Each structure stands twice: as C-alpha cells, then as structure tokens.
C-alpha cells in the first residue's frame, strides 16, 4: 500500500492551521513520525552501519515531529484537555532517533552510548 506523506502532511497542516488544538497538532506530529518510520525503520531493524552525514535528514524530520508534539502539549494545557498523545509521540520519536543514531559507528555499542 503506497503512502503519500506529502499529501497527508499537507492536509494535516491545513487542519492544524484552520483549527489548532492538541488533537490537530498531534496529528501533524503523527504524520511526521510515520514518515520517519517509513524512511528509517529498516535501517533501525537491521542495525545498518550509517555514515554520520546520513543523520542530517532524519534529525531534521525527528525534530520537526517533536516540535508538533510539543505544540500539541502546550495546546493541551491551554485547552485543559486530557489528550496526552503529544507527550507519548515526542517520547516515541526521541527513542526512534536514538535507535537510528546508534547505527552510526561513533554511537554503536556501550562505548557509543556513553558519548
């Protein structure tokens, strides 16, 4: 099944701009997170050895997703809502990014995790 993240991102952003809320902002973050997963899941699963310069794009994508999740958290407080998805999404993206960074030799193994 083909996934069109550009179109999903476009519609999610339109929804968030039209009616910003913890739910719509979380939706944009979810699109970004799923795009990250689609692009990098196989590298993470097979523990591919990646060059450091490869990390530039995934880091940008992960930080963009985390930014939307953080905005969802702020909106959650302002709304007085009980939508904790923004918190969960941000933590998930952090762990995914850390797993991907561990594919770079500099960060592999116990020694790499201490850096």
């Amino acid at each position: 099944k083909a996934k069109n993240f550009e179109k999903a991102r476009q519609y999610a952003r339109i929804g968030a701009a039209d009616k910003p809320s913890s739910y719509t902002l979380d939706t944009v973050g979810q699109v970004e997170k799923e795009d990250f997963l689609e692009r990098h899941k196989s590298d993470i699963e097979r523990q591919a050895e990646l060059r450091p310069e490869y990390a530039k794009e995934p880091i940008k994508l992960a930080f963009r997703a985390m930014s939307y999740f953080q905005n969802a958290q702020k909106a959650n407080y302002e709304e007085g809502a009980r939508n904790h998805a923004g918190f969960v999404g941000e933590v998930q993206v952090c762990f995914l990014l850390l797993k991907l960074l561990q594919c770079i030799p500099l960060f592999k193994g116990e020694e790499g995790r201490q850096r």
Side-chain angles (χ1 to χ4, degrees), residues 34-46:
E34 290 301 318
D35 189 9
F36 181 97
L37 265 173
E38 183 73 19
R39 294 179 192 206
H40 307 293
K41 186 176 182 179
S42 67
D43 291 332
I44 292 169
E45 287 177 346
R46 61 186 174 87

Side-chain angles (χ1 to χ4, degrees), residues 10 12 21 23 27 29 38 44 53 85 89:
Q10 175 188 357
S21 72
Y23 296 97
T27 299
E38 183 73 19
I44 292 169
E53 55 272 12

Side-chain angles (χ1 to χ4, degrees), residues 59-89:
I59 289 171
K60 284 182 184 178
L61 185 56
F63 274 73
R64 191 167 58 228
M66 287 188 283
S67 176
Y68 278 104
F69 287 129
Q70 290 166 359
N71 288 334
Q73 294 165 29
K74 289 176 192 167
N76 181 54
Y77 283 124
E78 292 167 4
E79 298 163 358
R82 292 182 164 228
N83 179 15
H84 302 295
F87 296 98
V88 174

Side-chain angles (χ1 to χ4, degrees), residues 101-115:
L101 291 176
Q102 288 177 341
C103 293
I104 297 172
L106 179 67
F107 301 115
K108 269 194 178 201
E110 189 60 37
E111 186 178 315
R113 285 191 282 278
Q114 292 176 3
R115 292 187 180 166

